[in-house]
Amino acid sequence: VINIVVAGIRGRMGRAVLQLAGDGAPATREFAIIGGIGRSAGSVAGPGGEVPVTTPDGAGEILRAAQALIDFSGTSGTEALLAAQPDSLHGTAVIIGSTGMPHAVLQRIDALAAHAAVLTAANFSIGVNLLLALVERTAATLPAEQYAVEVVEAHHGRKLDAPSGTALALAEAAARGRDVILEDVRRDGRSGEPGIRPAGEIGIHAVRGGGVIGEHDVLFLGERERIVLRHVAQDRALFAEGALHAARWLAGRPAGRYSMKDVLGLGS
Ligand SMILES: NC(=O)c1ccc[n+]([C@@H]2O[C@H](COP(=O)([O-])OP(=O)(O)OC[C@H]3O[C@@H](n4cnc5c(N)ncnc54)[C@H](OP(=O)(O)O)[C@@H]3O)[C@@H](O)[C@H]2O)c1
């Protein structure tokens, strides 16, 4: 059994992890959620009973008892946890699913990776990770002067960051395929009079509302044809399953940075 702490356990994704980890007969369960982290202390009801919840400041003891941390507490939660517990995560497998991370938090993650196996993923689904490879290959094959790349993502209206981490990863994959730096060609949305679209631009657009779990289209727009690579997440359990699979794979590995490519064997 792998002992896991879930940061953001009261959130949409945290609850999905708690639920999925508790599936099946107790004797066959591979994961035990031994604690959660939230903005206030207390407990949450899990399939296997009450799970204690602590704040980032009070999480030291529970983290030292865990083999893996799965973090879905968003940028503010991840930042608070890494600031409050710089040492308690040493030796723990750390799986970070929060997106939209500012530079300072990324630096903390890099520092932690000297002492712990750390995996960050904007998206834990096998489909999106396969899509990243397909987008890179398509962008490398189609001439930039003839095919415009636009990434369009949709999510529920309660999502805090935009564009999604997955949309950014897809845009980065297209830029990599074209051998350019995304920041040099990135265009977020369009309004007013943007003028004639420069060849080589990579557009990113965020749609928000309703109960959309997560949809990503990567469009390659030519004069006479259009290729649309699409991923649709149908259930949050998809991401929870990927995060638990990552925990299973990462627990016990040496310190360093890892990605879903490593977990899924998709190559570099
Ligand atoms: N990688 C992937 O595959 C994937 C998939 C889906 C979502 N995500 C990302 O995962 C993150 C969470 O998404 P969500 O939809 O589950 O969000 P959510 O429902 O808003 O849940 C976030 C939880 O984090 C906790 N939190 C926030 N700030 C905190 C702080 N300062 N200290 C402690 N806990 C804090 C909150 O806990 P309390 O309720 O206890 O206050 C909240 O329940 C987002 O960044 C999202 O983009 C990633």
Side-chain angles (χ1 to χ4, degrees):
V1 175
I2 302 173
N3 289 337
I4 296 177
V5 169
V6 178
I9 198 164
R10 294 192 188 97
R12 281 175 288 272
M13 276 311 306
R15 278 178 278 136
V17 172
L18 183 60
Q19 201 60 42
L20 196 68
D23 265 3
T28 64
R29 277 183 207 143
E30 200 184 344
F31 307 102
I33 308 298
I34 59 167
I37 299 172
R39 276 175 294 202
S40 60
S43 66
V44 292
E50 289 290 306
V51 176
V53 180
T54 70
T55 61
D57 284 336
E61 197 179 325
I62 194 90
L63 287 175
R64 282 189 289 274
Q67 284 149 292
L69 167 78
I70 294 180
D71 167 49
F72 279 113
S73 60
T75 46
S76 106
T78 309
E79 184 163 25
L81 182 62
L82 297 185
Q85 302 294 341
D87 304 330
S88 311
L89 286 162
H90 291 185
T92 307
V94 179
I95 295 101
I96 299 180
S98 300
T99 58
M101 224 80 82
H103 189 64
V105 185
L106 295 175
Q107 281 181 324
R108 280 193 190 279
I109 292 172
D110 277 336
L112 176 62
H115 308 280
V118 181
L119 182 148
T120 51
N123 197 301
F124 286 109
S125 85
I126 186 166
V128 160
N129 284 283
L130 178 62
L131 191 66
L132 289 168
L134 294 175
V135 166
E136 183 171 343
R137 167 132 191 242
T138 309
T141 306
L142 300 174
E145 314 76 56
Q146 290 168 38
Y147 290 84
V149 178
E150 299 278 313
V151 180
V152 185
E153 59 101 330
H155 283 86
H156 56 88
R158 292 165 306 277
K159 182 168 176 59
L160 297 178
D161 55 323
S164 69
T166 301
L168 284 174
L170 289 164
E172 262 159 21
R176 225 172 17 253
R178 286 183 166 178
D179 216 4
V180 296
I181 308 282
L182 177 61
E183 291 315 310
D184 294 344
V185 295
R186 171 175 170 177
R187 179 76 184 230
D188 284 64
R190 286 187 192 82
S191 72
E193 286 189 43
I196 295 168
R197 186 190 196 283
E201 198 168 77
I202 295 179
I204 310 180
H205 311 271
V207 177
R208 289 288 175 272
V212 183
I213 289 173
E215 300 191 7
H216 294 84
D217 282 356
V218 183
L219 297 89
F220 292 85
L221 304 166
E223 287 296 335
R224 299 196 183 89
E225 66 178 350
R226 153 185 352 155
I227 297 169
V228 180
L229 299 177
R230 163 172 295 178
H231 182 269
V232 178
Q234 298 181 165
D235 189 325
R236 274 190 188 90
L238 172 73
F239 308 126
E241 190 174 42
L244 286 168
H245 181 47
R248 176 194 294 127
W249 186 89
L250 199 65
R253 297 226 174 221
R257 287 295 298 262
Y258 297 87
S259 76
M260 285 307 283
K261 272 189 183 172
D262 303 317
V263 177
L264 298 169
L266 290 173
S268 57

